[in-house]
Amino acid sequence: MEVEPPANVGNSLVVDELHEYISRLDFYNDLRETEQSIKRNIEYDDIADPPTLEKQDSANNLPLKFLTETSYVDVWKRLFLYEARAQILKAKLEESCEPEKVEVLFTEEIKPFRYFNFKRLNTFSKTVYSSGSLVMISPDPINNDKPVEHLLGFVDSGDNLRVKLVFDETFKQKQPEKWARFDRTGEWNIKLLCAIVTVEREHRALEHFRNIDLTIRKTILNPIEFQNCLEEKFQIP
């Protein structure tokens, strides 16, 4: 069933780009950090190097000033993706929830996502699904030690367990066999991975950067020039 996006989409559309990027990742291949490396990053509050990020995108190579608003947004967007990966890696050790069986009640299409409305079959499960939480979905039993064919998705509503997954033509063309296997109803397996609420909030603020006061924007883009202006203005003769 395909439906029109709600009129009041607001902030939900802002994080769709972030959700789409993460949902296209493979949990085992794109996030294959070793346990030792993950522990090291947790202990030193560092960020693990995700495989697709270039070194110049790291926080150590941020420019001291930005020439345009577009360059500022582009640089920070990449860093938000970097941070989102780091949180998922960290969750591999620090957040562990048991997978459970669910049943598809119905689906809705709001491209590029397909929203799956699930019924939880384990009434004794203590897992709490909050809006924005990252989950793994698979037709196979999810074993913490053995990789399974899966999709990553985000909880849209925790009360009724509504999950959005990327189901678009790109997915269908690049992975037709996987598409066919996941394009179904019936019983599934789901596992809660982690929440990335902080990254979502920062990403949303970045998207609204162009809407803030012009003076503030200039200060953020070139803080050194702003500081020099202050020093000249208040310099004692």
Side-chain angles (χ1 to χ4, degrees), residues 178-215:
K178 186 175 182 179
W179 166 282
R181 189 161 187 238
F182 281 79
D183 185 24
R184 67 173 184 85
T185 55
E187 291 189 3
W188 292 58
N189 296 278
I190 184 171
K191 178 180 172 62
L192 175 65
L193 297 177
C194 66
I196 57 167
V197 178
T198 302
V199 176
E200 285 184 357
R201 188 180 297 117
E202 292 170 348
H203 186 272
R204 189 179 296 117
L206 181 66
E207 289 294 333
H208 292 297
F209 175 72
R210 296 181 180 88
N211 299 329
I212 64 177
D213 181 79
L214 178 61
T215 303

Side-chain angles (χ1 to χ4, degrees), residues 25-199:
L25 297 178
D26 183 285
F27 185 74
Y28 303 102
N29 295 325
D30 297 325
L31 298 162
R32 53 188 177 190
E33 198 76 12
T34 64
E35 184 171 318
Q36 181 180 4
S37 179
I38 297 172
K39 285 182 177 178
R40 183 186 67 245
N41 287 318
I42 292 174
E43 289 171 1
Y44 293 99
D45 197 26
D46 198 0
I47 297 177
D49 287 335
T52 59
L53 278 174
E54 301 295 338
K55 289 295 183 182
Q56 60 265 27
D57 291 333
S58 72
N60 295 327
N61 292 281
L62 278 174
L64 296 177
K65 66 177 181 178
F66 297 88
L67 299 179
T68 65
E69 295 174 358
T70 301
S71 64
Y72 175 85
V73 172
D74 288 345
V75 167
W76 280 104
K77 271 189 179 180
R78 290 197 295 271
L79 291 174
F80 285 141
L81 301 182
Y82 192 93
E83 172 63 17
R85 283 175 177 269
Q87 286 198 22
I88 298 169
L89 287 170
K90 187 176 179 180
K92 282 185 174 182
L93 288 184
E94 293 194 334
E95 301 178 35
S96 180
C97 294
E98 289 298 317
E100 62 178 290
K101 281 190 174 295
V102 291
E103 181 182 0
V104 179
L105 296 177
F106 61 94
T107 63
E108 304 162 87
E109 298 278 351
I110 304 178
K111 296 179 179 180
F113 300 103
R114 179 178 295 180
Y115 289 76
F116 286 77
N117 293 268
F118 291 114
K119 175 185 177 182
R120 301 177 68 175
L121 301 180
N122 183 1
T123 55
F124 298 101
S125 174
K126 296 181 180 180
T127 303
V128 178
Y129 297 91
S130 302
S131 180
S133 295
L134 178 67
V135 296
M136 177 189 295
I137 301 288
S138 177
D140 304 316
I142 298 175
N143 188 315
N144 293 333
D145 301 319
K146 183 180 179 181
V148 295
E149 193 169 39
H150 66 282
L151 292 175
L152 297 179
F154 285 87
V155 176
D156 184 64
S157 172
D159 296 333
N160 302 315
L161 196 49
R162 186 171 186 252
V163 177
K164 67 177 183 180
L165 306 169
V166 172
F167 257 83
D168 60 1
E169 287 301 314
T170 301
F171 173 29
K172 188 174 183 179
Q173 292 172 7
K174 289 187 175 182
Q175 299 174 288
E177 293 181 1
K178 186 175 182 179
W179 166 282
R181 189 161 187 238
F182 281 79
D183 185 24
R184 67 173 184 85
T185 55
E187 291 189 3
W188 292 58
N189 296 278
I190 184 171
K191 178 180 172 62
L192 175 65
L193 297 177
C194 66
I196 57 167
V197 178
T198 302
V199 176

